Amino acid sequence: MQGQQEHIVKSFDDQLKNVAHQIARMGGMAESQFSSAVDALARRDSDLAGRVVNADTGLDGLEHQIEEETVRILALRQPVATDLREIIAAFKIASDTERIGDYAVNVAKRTLALNQLPPAQPASAVPRMAKLVQSIVKDTFDAYVERDAEKALDVWHRDAEVDEMYTSLFRELLTYMMEDPRAITPCTHLLFIAKNIERIGDHATNIAETIHYLVTGDYIEGGRPKGDTSSYAVVEAPETAEDIGTENTPNSGDGSSNA
C-alpha cells in the first residue's frame, strides 16, 4: 500500500492492508448506493430505489467487520505513530461511510414516496446538486486510496459550494410551496432529499479531514467553510389581489372586524 512502511511481522502488514482494502471496498459500495439513489430519483425508478433500500445491510456488515478488526489490532499490536493513525482513521472513516449509505437509503425511500405523486417541477434541481456531491464522494475515496492530502483538502473546501446550492434549493422549494398548495407534499419530500444529500457531503468532508490527518499527522487548520444559511432563510409570501383588497377596505365604525 502506498505510503505504508513494511513491518518486521508480516502478519501486521497484512492486517493493515486488509483494513485499508475493506475501507476502499466500503467506499465503493457507498458510492454505488448513492449513485443508484440519485438515478432512481431522476428517472422515477421505483424498482431501483427499492434495491438501494434493500442493499443497506451490506454496508452495515462491512462497518462491523472493520470495527472488529481495528479493535483486534489495537489490542494485539498496540500500534503507534503512523500505524495508530491508520487504525484510528479506518475506524472513523467506516462510521462516516456507513452514514453516507444511510442517507442514500433515505433518498431512495423518499423517491418511492415521490413516485406515487405527479412529477414536481423543481425535481430536476435536486439531481444537479447530487451530481456535485457524487463527485466529492468519489474524490474523497480516491484521496484515501492514493493517500493524497491535497485532494482531501480540495474536497474539504468544496463543501461550501454544496451548502450554497442547498440554501438556494431550499428557498426555491419554499417558493413553489407558497405559490401552489398542490406542490407542498412533493416539495416537502424533495426538501428532505436535498438535506440528506447535503449531509452526505458533510460526511464526505469528515472523511477528507480524517484522510488529511492520516497522511500528514496534522488536522486541517481553521473552521470548516460553510455556505448553508437555510436556517435563517425567510421567503415572503406573494401578495395576492385578495390581500390588497382587504388592506384597502376601511374598518367598520365600531372597530370590529369580520375576520
Side-chain angles (χ1 to χ4, degrees), residues 29-164:
M29 289 176 63
E31 280 187 65
S32 177
Q33 201 161 308
F34 180 36
S35 177
S36 294
V38 173
D39 287 345
L41 172 65
R43 303 203 306 256
R44 294 177 62 86
D45 188 335
S46 295
D47 289 338
L48 181 56
R51 291 199 295 274
V52 172
V53 174
N54 294 330
D56 189 45
T57 54
L59 273 178
D60 293 342
L62 263 180
E63 183 193 19
H64 292 319
Q65 289 179 29
I66 292 168
E67 287 178 351
E68 290 174 359
E69 184 66 14
T70 53
V71 169
R72 186 180 301 112
I73 292 173
L74 284 170
L76 297 178
R77 304 295 186 184
Q78 298 181 351
V80 295
T82 303
D83 296 331
L84 182 58
R85 294 206 305 269
E86 187 80 38
I87 297 305
I88 292 174
F91 195 91
K92 294 175 69 175
I93 291 172
S95 177
D96 278 308
T97 304
E98 191 273 337
R99 293 301 294 147
I100 288 175
D102 284 345
Y103 284 119
V105 168
N106 290 347
V107 171
K109 287 179 178 178
R110 294 282 177 179
T111 295
L112 290 171
L114 270 176
N115 289 352
Q116 300 176 48
L117 303 167
Q121 183 177 348
S124 61
V126 177
R128 288 200 300 270
M129 175 183 165
K131 291 299 181 185
L132 172 60
V133 177
Q134 280 180 278
S135 70
I136 287 175
V137 171
K138 180 183 184 303
D139 288 346
T140 297
F141 288 108
D142 286 348
Y144 175 77
V145 172
E146 299 164 10
R147 296 298 192 270
D148 189 333
E150 288 301 317
K151 183 174 286 187
L153 188 60
D154 177 63
V155 167
W156 187 78
H157 284 294
R158 284 156 65 191
D159 184 56
E161 185 179 354
V162 176
D163 290 341
E164 290 167 2

